[in-house]
Amino acid sequence: DAKTTQPPSMDCAEGRAANLPCNHSTISGNEYVYWYRQIHSQGPQYIIHGLKNNETNEMASLIITEDRKSSTLILPHATLRDTAVYYCIVRDLTGTASKLTFGTGTRLQVTL
Amino acid sequence: KAGVTQTPRYLIKTRGQQVTLSCSPISGHRSVSWYQQTPGQGLQFLFEYFSETQRNKGNFPGRFSGRQFSNSRSEMNVSTLELGDSALYLCASSEGVVGYGYTFGSGTRLTVV
C-alpha cells in the first residue's frame, strides 16, 4: 500500500470547519483514499472514502486533488466530540490484500 | 443491528501464559480482521479471515494465531505471552473479502505482567 503523510496534530475551534490534509504522492490508480478516526480508547470509526471525485456524507467531506496526490478531510462544523486521531489510508480494493495500513494520523483537538 | 462485539474487554495475564480473545462480527459480515495497537507501534494488522480461511497475515511471530468459525465468529490466540504483548487488540468486520468499510469493535485491553 502507498504511504500517507499527515501532520501530527491540529487544533480547531468548536463550530468552525476542521480541514485535515493528507499527502499520498505515490498513490496508484487502483487505490482508494479512506479516512478513519479513533476516539480515545475506542476502535477506529470509518468516516468516508473516495477514488477520484469529491465525496460527502453526513459526517464529512473528502476533497481529492486532480492528480490524486493529496486529499483533505473536512468536518464542516467541528464539535468537542470530534476530538480524535484521524487516519488517512490508501487502499487497493482490486486484489485480495484487504488490510488497512495505519500511519500515525493527525490528533485533532477541538476547543471551546 | 448489533456492532462488533469483543470479549473480554480487559484481561490481565502473566508472562508465559496463553490467552484467547473472541470477536463476534456484525450479522452478515463474513470477513474478520485483527489489529494490535500499542503506543510505540500504533495500529498493526495481525490477520484476516474470510469464510473460515486466513486470507492475509501481518508480520507477527507464530505465537499469534487465529481462526474463524462457520458462524463467522473469530478467535485469536497468543501463546507464551511476553510483556511486549500488552496492547489493545481490535477486531474489525466487513461484508466481503475486500470490504468497502470495516467496522471495528471496542477492543480487548490485554495487560501482561
Side-chain angles (χ1 to χ4, degrees):
Chain A
D1 292 342
K3 293 184 179 179
T4 62
T5 304
Q6 300 177 251
S9 64
M10 294 183 63
D11 292 329
C12 179
E14 189 176 34
R16 305 297 293 269
N19 297 288
L20 291 90
C22 178
N23 286 321
H24 30 79
S25 58
T26 59
I27 192 170
S28 67
N30 295 327
E31 289 180 316
Y32 283 71
V33 179
Y34 275 73
W35 284 84
Y36 281 78
R37 73 180 182 183
Q38 188 175 24
I39 296 170
H40 183 62
S41 296
Q42 297 181 21
Q45 176 190 24
Y46 165 81
I47 300 173
I48 198 167
H49 75 280
L51 182 62
K52 297 180 183 178
N53 300 321
N54 298 336
E55 303 287 344
T56 296
N57 62 21
E58 64 278 4
M59 289 183 67
S61 294
L62 174 61
I63 308 298
I64 302 174
T65 58
E66 193 169 342
D67 63 9
R68 303 207 326 121
K69 292 185 177 182
S70 66
S71 61
T72 301
L73 178 74
I74 301 173
L75 307 178
H77 305 286
T79 71
L80 297 177
R81 286 179 292 183
D82 292 322
T83 293
V85 178
Y86 287 77
Y87 296 98
C88 169
I89 300 164
V90 292
R91 182 165 166 244
D92 186 348
L93 296 183
T94 59
T96 58
S98 52
K99 65 180 181 180
L100 297 172
T101 302
F102 289 87
T104 53
T106 296
R107 184 173 299 276
L108 175 68
Q109 181 69 51
V110 181
T111 57
L112 291 172
Chain B
K1 51 185 174 181
V4 178
T5 303
Q6 292 189 245
T7 56
R9 284 299 310 276
Y10 302 93
L11 204 50
I12 299 175
K13 289 286 189 179
T14 304
R15 272 183 302 175
Q17 287 186 314
Q18 67 94 25
V19 67
T20 299
L21 311 181
S22 179
C23 172
S24 293
I26 290 174
S27 178
H29 284 194
R30 294 192 293 164
S31 172
V32 173
S33 302
W34 289 89
Y35 291 79
Q36 180 198 64
Q37 186 171 27
T38 60
Q41 299 298 318
L43 274 155
Q44 292 187 290
F45 172 78
L46 280 157
F47 26 66
E48 178 178 21
Y49 289 87
F50 180 79
S51 292
E52 302 178 66
T53 300
Q54 187 180 90
R55 290 280 184 166
N56 205 350
K57 189 177 189 304
N59 188 26
F60 278 82
R63 299 185 297 108
F64 292 81
S65 63
R67 60 177 174 168
Q68 187 180 32
F69 302 96
S70 58
N71 61 358
S72 294
R73 190 178 69 86
S74 177
E75 289 181 347
M76 68 162 282
N77 184 278
V78 187
S79 62
T80 320
L81 284 166
E82 301 176 359
L83 295 179
D85 297 333
S86 295
L88 179 66
Y89 289 88
L90 292 156
C91 168
S93 75
S94 68
E95 290 185 40
V97 173
V98 188
Y100 282 97
Y102 283 92
T103 302
F104 282 81
S106 297
T108 294
R109 170 95 39 202
L110 171 65
T111 302
V112 182
V113 297

